[in-house]
Amino acid sequence: MPRPTGRVLTLLELLQSGGTRTVAELADRLGVEGRTVRRYVNQLIDLDVPVESVRGRYGGYRLAPGYRLPPLMLSDDEALAVLLGLIAGRRAGLRTTERTASETATAKIRRVLPKHLARRLDTLLESLAFTDQPGEFAAPDAAILLTLADAVRHRRPVSLRYTDGNGRHSERTLHAYGIVAHAGRWYVTGTDAGIDEDRTFRLDRLTDARTLPGSFEVPEGPSPAQRVLSGFATAKYRHEVTLRIHGTVEQIRAHLPAAVASLEEYEPTAATAPTPERWLRLELRAERLDWLPPALASIDRPFVIERPDELRDLVVALAERLTSGALRG
């Protein structure tokens, strides 16, 4: 059972979150009776914390407007949210007029955190990689995120409980290489020890994670972020598309990023006439093809479709519509 002092601090934290809290709500959150809540409020007032009593049907208690409470009190989830928000803001270019403000704010928060939590948050930040500027990420469970970060840093196997997109539940043992934030979601990537194959799991689909005895070696190869992008580009979909595009990687990636398509140097066969121009082979998988002809047109570079035939038909149809529209007077 929490000590009375702990309940008083919890009451202070609830009031810090803003608004008016009814006695019934506070009693329920603290697990005490109404008269005990009033006693705790009096203890805060004795400590010079300006708690106001609000009368009326929706009355209760609140902190005096404009009062700044020392010290800052953050739970594990709140500290994690603040630090990740500062990092995401820096990556997205969301800075104040003082460009170092986010860095100094991060340092101040980390300085007042309990040592055990500061170490775990540092471990998470060391394990985290971004594929692009972060957006609105699906919120993973903080305990799971921190457990995975520890497993990544110390190369410990981790047991996962996972629910896939079809609602099927499974338990996996993962040798986790890294945590990646991509396109609004969080992922952990590594080797599934049960099948000895690389796998990537969405963190919002994990219901439990715990480290296991033992250790493993991270194999040579792509970074965790590259593994996640490669997994998206090679996932199984209805259509498998292969084509050759003449141009630079930058020109192609501006319209077909790494999460959508893979690129490699095209080496002509002996039967192909040599050419000084650089061609790249592009491969992607998609459930639908109707979006691809406009994307290829926007690249505005020569291309040759190798497969499927259905894509050729869609490109021809788009070209005919554009020609017809241009000839209308």
Side-chain angles (χ1 to χ4, degrees):
M1 294 291 291
R3 294 176 179 270
T5 302
R7 291 199 186 99
V8 172
L9 292 175
T10 300
L11 171 61
L12 177 57
E13 185 176 354
L14 291 171
L15 295 175
Q16 275 187 279
S17 63
T20 300
R21 303 277 185 164
T22 66
V23 173
E25 177 187 2
L26 293 171
D28 180 67
R29 295 290 296 274
L30 297 172
V32 298
E33 296 180 355
R35 63 175 179 271
T36 305
V37 171
R38 296 183 182 91
R39 187 169 72 248
Y40 290 164
V41 167
N42 289 332
Q43 291 182 35
L44 289 176
I45 294 173
D46 289 340
L47 294 171
D48 294 325
V49 177
V51 181
E52 296 181 340
S53 176
V54 180
R55 298 182 179 276
R57 180 179 178 184
Y58 300 104
Y61 294 104
R62 69 184 180 194
L63 292 178
Y67 182 76
R68 302 178 65 180
L69 278 174
L72 178 65
M73 298 172 57
L74 295 175
S75 67
D76 289 12
D77 281 355
E78 289 168 341
L80 183 62
V82 170
L83 287 174
L84 291 179
L86 290 169
I87 294 168
R90 291 205 303 268
R91 289 188 53 83
L94 300 177
R95 296 179 182 269
T96 62
T97 53
E98 175 57 53
R99 294 182 63 84
T100 61
S102 60
E103 286 83 356
T104 56
T106 300
K108 288 179 180 178
I109 293 173
R110 291 170 64 180
R111 190 160 55 243
V112 299
L113 290 176
K115 289 183 178 180
H116 77 281
L117 180 56
R119 286 195 300 268
R120 299 195 75 190
L121 290 172
D122 284 341
T123 298
L124 169 62
L125 298 180
E126 292 173 4
S127 306
L128 179 62
F130 291 93
T131 61
D132 201 352
Q133 291 183 352
E136 294 294 328
F137 298 147
D141 181 270
I144 290 176
L145 189 55
L146 292 171
T147 297
L148 291 173
D150 285 339
V152 169
R153 180 171 187 178
H154 300 293
R155 298 181 179 180
R156 303 255 324 260
V158 60
S159 174
L160 305 177
R161 290 182 182 175
Y162 186 72
T163 303
D164 66 18
N166 296 318
R168 292 189 295 265
H169 305 284
S170 63
E171 293 194 11
R172 314 289 187 93
T173 297
L174 185 71
H175 294 169
Y177 305 150
I179 300 166
V180 179
H182 169 67
R185 295 192 184 279
W186 295 78
Y187 300 87
V188 60
T189 184
T191 296
D192 187 327
I195 58 177
D196 195 28
E197 292 183 5
D198 282 357
R199 286 290 184 269
T200 296
F201 299 98
R202 273 175 45 179
L203 263 62
D204 58 312
R205 290 179 175 170
L206 295 177
T207 57
D208 186 55
R210 56 187 176 85
T211 52
L212 300 173
S215 62
F216 63 89
E217 292 296 324
V218 177
E220 296 292 333
S223 68
Q226 290 171 329
R227 289 174 183 271
V228 170
L229 291 177
S230 176
F232 284 123
T234 59
K236 293 182 178 179
Y237 290 100
R238 180 181 176 187
H239 300 284
E240 294 187 357
V241 177
T242 304
L243 45 85
R244 304 191 301 274
I245 301 181
H246 170 268
T248 66
V249 173
E250 291 75 16
Q251 288 171 330
I252 298 170
R253 285 294 183 224
H255 302 274
L256 296 171
V260 174
S262 61
L263 281 178
E264 63 179 17
E265 293 283 349
Y266 170 64
E267 298 181 1
T269 63
T272 304
T275 173
E277 296 177 338
R278 186 185 184 204
W279 287 81
L280 297 171
R281 172 171 273 118
L282 181 144
E283 294 185 352
L284 62 86
R285 289 162 173 78
E287 285 296 316
R288 296 167 49 192
L289 295 174
D290 55 350
W291 62 272
L292 193 49
L296 294 174
S298 66
I299 297 175
D300 195 23
R301 302 300 302 168
F303 63 88
V304 177
I305 297 173
E306 295 183 358
R307 63 172 178 169
D309 292 338
E310 183 180 348
L311 179 58
R312 292 191 183 92
D313 296 336
L314 291 173
V315 170
V316 170
L318 175 62
E320 291 176 346
R321 290 197 302 273
L322 293 175
T323 302
S324 175
L327 294 176
R328 288 197 187 108

